[in-house]
Amino acid sequence: MSARAASAPTRRALLRAGLVLAAASPLLAPGRARAQVAASCVAPAAATPAQTAGPFFIAGAPQRGSLRDPDIAGEPFRLEGRLVDPRCGPVASARVDLWQADGRGAYDTQGFRLRGHLLTDAEGRFAFDTVRPGRYPGRTPHFHLRVTPARGATLTTQLYFPGEPGNARDSIFRPELLLAMPDAANGRAILVLG
Ligand code: FE
């Protein structure tokens, strides 16, 4: 195979990728996510936007992937994520803290219910078995995450649910932070460190 023949498919693939990116930016219908955190990673990837931690972060949450204690209110939900650098390379051994409201919109402010942390694996992956958070006054449903890599700056952000009517009324909400949801009980996100 000549060098020219070998390079042609790659060039076409790059062009296709460019077209996909162009179509993904401002032309989507309302409610269709510009799922920057959720789609496959295309380098160079924009850093995931930082968001406020809000008033409910408590340091020292236990290391655990299952937050679904027996008496937790809310529908079971699995949050799967991947942490990458701007070249889409995996970021391993980073600490990922998750904290959230329960299905009724209530935080545990005394202990560590619906709070935990994990370390990303060699592929940058992490997963929490939890419940879908409810809305509370002024806020559309969201997860809070804080990512602390071994090197570099901490990222504090939030993740949101597509199709929530409260998204448009929440001044903190950003469509770039919408989860991809293959089904109602599973959300996925790719988080890009700056
Ligand atoms: Fe919150």
Side-chain angles (χ1 to χ4, degrees):
M1 185 181 287
S2 72
R4 180 170 179 170
S7 66
T10 303
R11 183 176 170 81
R12 280 201 298 274
L14 287 172
L15 285 170
R16 277 200 302 273
L19 289 172
V20 168
L21 279 178
S25 46
L27 300 174
L28 290 173
R32 297 286 291 178
R34 285 184 295 140
Q36 177 182 330
V37 299
S40 59
C41 193
V42 178
T48 298
Q51 296 221 291
T52 176
F56 298 119
F57 177 72
I58 299 174
Q63 182 169 349
R64 56 178 183 159
S66 179
L67 308 185
R68 206 181 296 157
D69 296 329
D71 56 346
I72 291 289
E75 298 171 16
F77 192 86
R78 181 174 172 83
L79 174 63
E80 299 177 352
R82 192 155 174 263
L83 184 65
V84 300
D85 62 32
R87 296 189 305 278
C88 299
V91 178
S93 303
R95 177 179 171 132
V96 180
D97 273 275
L98 174 71
W99 71 103
Q100 64 169 99
D102 67 14
R104 300 187 184 112
Y107 284 88
D108 175 14
T109 58
Q110 307 300 313
F112 292 114
R113 289 159 62 87
L114 292 177
R115 300 168 184 274
H117 81 271
L118 291 173
L119 299 179
T120 55
D121 70 10
E123 299 301 317
R125 291 174 301 206
F126 61 92
F128 290 96
D129 287 302
T130 182
V131 297
R132 187 164 170 148
R135 64 180 65 87
Y136 59 89
R139 294 308 319 277
T140 196
H142 58 277
F143 290 114
H144 291 272
L145 287 100
R146 175 167 288 176
V147 178
T148 311
R151 290 185 300 277
T154 294
L155 168 68
T156 302
T157 192
Q158 302 184 31
L159 295 173
Y160 299 91
F161 297 83
E164 279 289 338
N167 288 346
R169 297 190 294 270
D170 186 325
S171 61
I172 300 176
F173 169 78
R174 287 185 65 167
E176 301 98 311
L177 295 170
L178 282 166
L179 290 163
M181 290 185 53
D183 62 63
N186 185 207
R188 294 178 184 162
I190 293 179
L191 302 178
V192 183
L193 293 178

